[in-house]
Amino acid sequence: MDTSLRLGMYAEYERMAEDVRAMKKRLAEIRATAESDDELISITIGGTGEVHDLWLDPRIYRTPDSVALARAIVETFQRAVVLAKEEGVAIAADYLPPDATAETTDLRLDPFLHELDRQVAGDTR
C-alpha cells in the first residue's frame, strides 16, 4: 500500500479516535434525574448508568410497603436511564445511523476505541 495513503488512513483513525474520546468524555458528564409519579423519589444517574443521587422523601415511611417502595425506586431508576440514554444518543448523533434510538443504541465506546487504537498502532491482526 502507498505510504502516503497509509499515513492518511492512520491520521483519519487518530482523528476519529480523538473524536470518540471527546464524545466519551461528554457521555461521562451526563446527569439525568427522574422523579416518581408521587414525587417522593428522585434518582440521578450518569451516562453509563451509575447512580449519583437517590433522594427519598420522608413521607415514604407513612405507608410501610417495602414491595411498593422497591417497585417505585426501580421504575424511577428506569426513567432516569431512558433520559440518560436519550441525552447520550443526542451527543453521539453524528456517528449514528439516522434511525438510531435510545432503545436500539449501545453507547459503550471502549471496544470501538480499542480497535481504533490497535489499527493506529499498525496491528493488522
Side-chain angles (χ1 to χ4, degrees):
M1 178 181 289
D2 181 345
T3 303
S4 63
L5 180 59
R6 181 174 293 189
L7 291 174
M9 285 178 26
Y10 288 140
E12 181 64 20
Y13 282 133
E14 288 174 355
R15 185 199 59 76
M16 190 180 304
E18 285 306 311
D19 288 351
V20 171
R21 283 187 183 87
M23 182 175 30
K24 184 178 174 184
K25 184 176 187 276
R26 288 182 61 203
L27 291 170
E29 295 169 351
I30 291 174
R31 297 296 179 269
T33 301
E35 288 189 346
S36 60
D37 290 337
D38 59 9
E39 298 180 351
L40 298 179
I41 301 165
S42 174
I43 298 176
T44 300
I45 66 162
T48 57
E50 69 280 7
V51 176
H52 285 272
D53 188 45
L54 169 62
W55 176 81
L56 302 174
D57 188 296
R59 293 177 291 165
I60 64 167
Y61 300 110
R62 292 182 183 166
T63 308
D65 184 350
S66 62
V67 172
L69 176 60
R71 184 174 38 252
I73 290 171
V74 169
E75 288 170 358
T76 305
F77 177 80
Q78 290 170 337
R79 288 179 191 167
V81 167
V82 168
L83 293 172
K85 284 190 80 174
E86 288 172 350
E87 191 173 336
V89 167
I91 289 170
D94 290 344
Y95 290 92
L96 299 173
D99 60 344
T101 65
E103 295 81 30
T104 62
T105 303
D106 182 354
L107 293 173
R108 292 174 291 185
L109 300 173
D110 285 336
F112 181 66
L113 280 171
H114 177 73
E115 178 62 17
L116 282 175
D117 287 341
R118 187 185 66 75
Q119 291 186 22
V120 166
D123 186 352
T124 58
R125 286 185 281 150

